[in-house]
Amino acid sequence: MAWTDLLHDPRTVTGLYGCAPSLLGFKLETIGLGELHMSGGVVLSGDLRALPDPMPVRWLRQGKSRAFAALYLHDLSVSEVFGIPLLHPNGHFGFEGKPVDIRIE
């Protein structure tokens, strides 16, 4: 099963990419723990490693150069974190660090 199969509407991602893009090399910007609307869930946000190919015309017109994603994870039975990404300001109103590999099973 692809991670996009767990989304409420997988087409929001697969419509751009044609399939589930890899979460390996995810450029993590924020980790939100225990968000109120998530009932104790986790939010991971940052940039996907690859841009859609072909790029949506709207993105090209707007000069987009990154594919931001926010992964709202809830009802987790097991989660493991190995290491801590060292985040630093990226100069574009966000943070980035060493890319991380995310696996959703």
Side-chain angles (χ1 to χ4, degrees), residues 6-102:
L6 300 171
L7 299 175
H8 291 290
D9 185 1
R11 294 172 297 174
T12 58
V13 176
T14 59
L16 291 170
Y17 285 88
C19 62
S22 175
L23 294 176
L24 302 179
F26 188 81
K27 297 176 184 172
L28 185 65
E29 289 186 16
T30 62
I31 301 171
L33 301 173
E35 301 290 328
L36 293 177
H37 64 284
M38 294 287 299
S39 301
V42 176
V43 179
L44 305 175
S45 62
D47 296 332
L48 295 168
R49 179 178 65 190
L51 294 170
D53 184 23
M55 284 275 283
V57 173
R58 185 182 77 226
W59 288 23
L60 290 170
R61 271 191 258 126
Q62 295 174 348
K64 303 284 183 188
S65 61
R66 56 187 276 216
F68 179 83
L71 306 172
Y72 295 86
L73 309 172
H74 56 90
D75 297 329
L76 298 174
S77 56
V78 175
S79 67
E80 295 178 288
V81 177
F82 301 97
I84 299 172
L86 300 174
L87 302 176
H88 59 275
N90 65 9
H92 301 285
F93 303 105
F95 293 88
E96 64 183 52
K98 182 178 176 185
V100 299
D101 294 340
I102 298 174

